[in-house]
Amino acid sequence: MPSAEDLHFQPVAAPGPDPFTSSTAAPPVPAAPAERKPGSAGSPGAPRGPRDGDARGAATGARTPRALPGSTPGLYGGSPSASCDVERQVALLAGDPAKARAFAQGAALGRRSVPDFLRGLTPVVVRADVRVTAHGYRGGTATDFQSVLQTGTAVMVDEYGMPRVRCAGGSPLGAPIAAQGSVSYRGEPWRGYAADRVVVITRAPRPLDALVIVDLLDRAWVERRIGTDGGEDKAPGTPPPYAPDADITDPEAVKAPGVVVPDAAPGGGRSAPPGPAVPSGAPAREGRPAVPEQSPLPADEVVPLPEDAPGGGPGGLPGDDLAPPVDDLFPPEPDGPVLPDEPAPSDGPVLPDGPAGTGAATFRG
């Protein structure tokens, strides 16, 4: 099982620990001006709420981190210009067979072709800080680590809405895992970071034909077909029930697809979900098994992954574990300064972790 003892902050353009390749991410797109709420600072690709600038995420309210399915409209953004150069990523890995094998290992591709896998993904940018399992390349193999990707990070997304590649370092991505006990923080949190505004992306319950994303140039809704890079974007047939600049981290502003959570009295049930305002499910693609129909996804819940889906792990994602409960992914944040994001020397001294289960943060040089 991968270790979750280190949590790395990964800014938009940083290559990250032991990158697989040089960056294939396009320069960030300057977003169109948007009306600012008092006290909000904003950051690439996403609106921010009233707690901007609170880098430590000190609790000032009851909000908790969210788990959202990859089909959530507005979870991703983009522009007519691709956020990642897919063909360059293919060429960089094809030119280094050892890295290509390690990439396939980290992405849990099994017998699938790395070029075919990459060409089937959709380049976008994330519109929230996102918790993932990332990978580096060291000693001829893929090494996993827990990470938070900054809002605006360029990624490639699969047909279930899951981020699978971070373009700044060519690194495979997977679902996050929970830490057991104490955690060491690596890197420096960016302005606007708050642990309770981080999103965990879960697998959509069925394959998607397209993603409904935000056009970062026009701040408008567009539909991007899976496997395309922006040249075929079009207006969605049914716009989402919230504005493109809605705060994706706010459960009051953005509901998970397929369900309405009413303001009911205690003990009241949820109302029946209306028709989805997201792209419809797609039949099985050639060479891939169909995913059985499932009931609409309840808001902010983790989707069980079918065991027979393609790839090395459940649902074709790295690792053998499902995404854990969201609260388990965010241990208490450090009170003191966070150490730079540098790999720990293999033979250097390591400070001991706190007692197991205490949740205390420790630091590694």
Side-chain angles (χ1 to χ4, degrees):
M1 177 184 293
S3 170
E5 65 180 1
D6 290 342
L7 181 61
H8 295 252
F9 293 105
Q10 290 195 274
V12 168
D18 304 313
F20 271 74
T21 66
S22 57
S23 176
T24 60
V29 175
E35 181 181 353
R36 299 287 187 189
K37 297 180 181 179
S40 89
S43 62
R48 286 293 189 179
R51 293 186 51 210
D52 266 3
D54 181 7
R56 292 295 171 192
T60 58
R63 181 180 296 180
T64 58
R66 300 194 75 183
L68 289 171
S71 55
T72 304
L75 186 57
Y76 299 108
S79 72
S81 300
S83 56
C84 303
D85 188 336
V86 176
E87 289 304 318
R88 183 161 178 260
Q89 188 68 60
V90 169
L92 288 171
L93 289 173
D96 192 327
K99 283 187 177 179
R101 286 191 295 271
F103 180 94
Q105 170 199 354
L109 298 187
R111 298 180 180 177
R112 295 169 65 185
S113 157
V114 170
D116 289 348
F117 168 73
L118 291 171
R119 290 174 178 137
L121 302 180
T122 308
V124 289
V125 301
V126 296
R127 295 187 65 247
D129 296 340
V130 175
R131 184 83 154 74
V132 296
T133 293
H135 294 79
Y137 177 75
R138 184 187 300 178
T141 189
T143 58
D144 56 78
F145 59 92
Q146 296 305 295
S147 174
V148 179
L149 307 182
Q150 185 184 11
T151 301
T153 296
V155 296
M156 301 184 199
V157 176
D158 69 13
E159 69 269 35
Y160 294 95
M162 291 292 293
R164 301 299 303 275
V165 179
R166 183 174 181 268
C167 304
S171 305
L173 300 176
I177 64 172
Q180 302 296 321
S182 58
V183 168
S184 299
Y185 290 83
R186 298 299 192 91
E188 190 66 29
W190 39 86
R191 183 170 182 257
Y193 172 78
D196 63 358
R197 298 180 70 85
V198 175
V199 168
V200 174
I201 300 175
T202 62
R203 191 174 185 271
R206 59 186 65 88
L208 304 170
D209 286 322
L211 299 168
V212 175
I213 68 173
V214 175
D215 185 322
L216 301 180
L217 292 175
D218 298 332
R219 304 194 78 87
W221 292 116
V222 294
E223 184 175 285
R224 177 166 297 181
R225 191 165 59 84
I226 294 295
T228 65
D229 60 9
E232 302 177 20
D233 288 356
K234 62 181 182 179
T238 304
Y242 44 87
D245 62 354
D247 184 354
I248 201 74
T249 71
D250 185 353
E252 296 302 318
V254 176
K255 308 298 183 186
V259 71
V260 173
V261 183
D263 296 327
R270 291 173 174 167
S271 62
V278 295
S280 60
R285 298 185 180 190
E286 183 177 356
R288 299 182 183 177
V291 175
E293 289 290 314
Q294 300 180 20
S295 59
L297 180 72
D300 298 353
E301 290 186 12
V302 174
V303 182
L305 307 185
E307 295 294 339
D308 58 351
L317 298 177
D320 296 323
D321 299 303
L322 305 182
V326 177
D327 290 345
D328 292 346
L329 294 171
F330 299 93
E333 297 187 52
D335 295 327
V338 181
L339 297 184
D341 191 358
E342 298 177 356
S346 59
D347 55 353
V350 177
L351 296 181
D353 288 344
T358 62
T362 58
F363 305 91
R364 302 225 257 177

